[in-house]
Amino acid sequence: MTGRRPRPSHPVVVLRRLRAAVLGVLAVTTLLCLVVEDRAGDQMAASERTRGAMDDLLRAHEQAVRARTALDAVARVRDPVSIALTGTGADFANAAARISSHLTSATEGNGAGKRGLSHIQFVQGQLATTVKMANAAVLDGAPAVGKVGEALRAGPERAGKRPVRFTGGLEQSLLDLRQVESDAREVQLDSDWRDHRLLWPLFMTPLAVLLLLVRATGRVVARRFRRYPSPALALALSATATVDVLMCVLRPLDAVIALPVLAAAGALAHLAYRPRLAEYRFPRP
């Protein structure tokens, strides 16, 4: 008993399936755009917060320099009684208060996680110790105040030729802390959702499938219907390709721009199939 060969599908059925597949690929592309834009947007927002923390730490370092300058001014006073009466001075107290405020602000934008928080707490403790040392040094005279000023600007210890972070004075620790946040920001900006190595395959794969579907549609229309494929289908392909490429290049393209373009591509794709499918729509008796 010989089996029968399956009958080939009617061209209209094939076109309907191709249209559904094209619209499905466009839907997948739209979903990818939304996911990538959302995830990458979160990373970019986090990097902006980290950038704010870096700015706070830079301002804190400027205040640390002012605090040291204020102590140097006190250290130049030769009358121990005057030093004991005036203390560290308003300039030092104000600078120390601003450093503490900037460190608190930097905590809110910390991008280095627990490690960054631990370093911030260390620097806050270093600031508190410096203030206590300065307040105690004014009772011992100018040389003691001068030593506290020198401790503020002390450089880091070295392991071979490499400096060891957070082993210097307050000024250096603030710079080290800013570098920690800078390293964290680089990681945020280079996250997987903004990585070319992920984005290009992610968006080029559905684009390649769409290209194959468009070519298959052109063959069916040319061979079965003896017509040229609709230019609207080529426009839909071009619009989708533009969005896919820009999503990879701009890392990512704003969804406010991508979604209307993809919606237009979907409408063009639907219209591209409509004339051929309409040829087989007969009115009911």
Side-chain angles (χ1 to χ4, degrees):
M1 183 175 180
T2 59
R4 295 182 180 180
R5 297 180 61 183
R7 295 177 59 184
S9 299
H10 193 279
V12 172
V13 175
V14 175
L15 280 185
R16 286 175 179 167
R17 292 173 179 172
L18 287 171
R19 182 180 64 179
V22 168
L23 295 177
V25 171
L26 290 175
V28 169
T29 302
T30 302
L31 181 61
L32 286 176
C33 290
L34 290 173
V35 171
V36 171
E37 197 272 342
D38 178 67
R39 296 301 183 184
D42 288 345
Q43 291 297 323
M44 293 172 68
S47 72
E48 286 302 314
R49 291 193 296 270
T50 305
R51 179 65 185 179
M54 293 171 58
D55 292 340
D56 287 327
L57 293 172
L58 182 59
R59 288 190 284 267
H61 178 264
E62 293 171 354
Q63 293 301 321
V65 174
R66 291 185 181 181
R68 186 239 306 166
T69 302
L71 288 181
D72 289 342
V74 174
R76 288 193 292 270
V77 178
R78 296 305 176 187
D79 184 5
V81 177
S82 298
I83 296 177
L85 290 175
T86 58
T88 55
D91 291 341
F92 176 82
N94 292 336
R98 292 191 185 101
I99 295 171
S100 179
S101 176
H102 290 317
L103 285 173
T104 301
S105 298
T107 303
E108 298 176 0
N110 169 44
K114 293 182 179 179
R115 182 170 62 94
L117 182 59
S118 174
H119 289 319
I120 290 174
Q121 291 173 344
F122 170 79
V123 177
Q124 287 174 329
Q126 194 174 18
L127 171 63
T129 301
T130 300
V131 172
K132 290 180 181 179
M133 290 174 59
N135 290 332
V138 295
L139 301 176
D140 297 330
V145 176
K147 290 181 179 180
V148 176
E150 292 176 0
L152 271 172
R153 61 171 172 260
E157 298 178 2
R158 293 184 174 274
K161 295 183 178 180
R162 299 183 60 182
V164 181
R165 288 181 178 177
F166 301 103
T167 56
L170 180 62
E171 292 180 23
Q172 183 61 47
S173 293
L174 287 167
L175 293 177
D176 291 339
L177 183 55
R178 187 174 188 273
Q179 187 59 50
V180 168
E181 296 296 333
S182 177
D183 294 342
R185 185 169 185 265
E186 290 297 324
V187 173
Q188 291 169 336
L189 291 176
D190 293 334
S191 67
D192 291 340
W193 295 105
R194 303 190 74 248
D195 191 345
H196 291 297
R197 293 171 295 182
L198 171 68
L199 294 179
W200 282 104
L202 192 65
F203 284 98
M204 291 303 106
T205 299
L207 181 60
V209 174
L210 182 61
L211 177 60
L212 293 176
L213 293 172
V214 170
R215 290 188 61 183
T217 300
R219 290 172 62 90
V220 172
V221 171
R223 291 187 177 185
R224 300 290 183 174
F225 292 87
R226 305 298 181 183
R227 297 286 191 276
Y228 289 107
S230 173
L233 194 57
L235 289 175
L237 176 62
S238 299
T240 306
T242 300
V243 170
D244 287 337
V245 171
L246 290 179
M247 286 295 294
C248 299
V249 173
L250 299 181
R251 301 190 302 167
L253 175 67
D254 195 335
V256 174
I257 300 174
L259 295 184
V261 174
L262 291 174
L268 288 171
H270 179 77
L271 293 174
Y273 288 92
R274 189 173 182 179
R276 304 287 74 83
L277 296 177
E279 294 180 6
Y280 286 84
R281 288 181 180 176
F282 301 103
R284 293 184 179 180

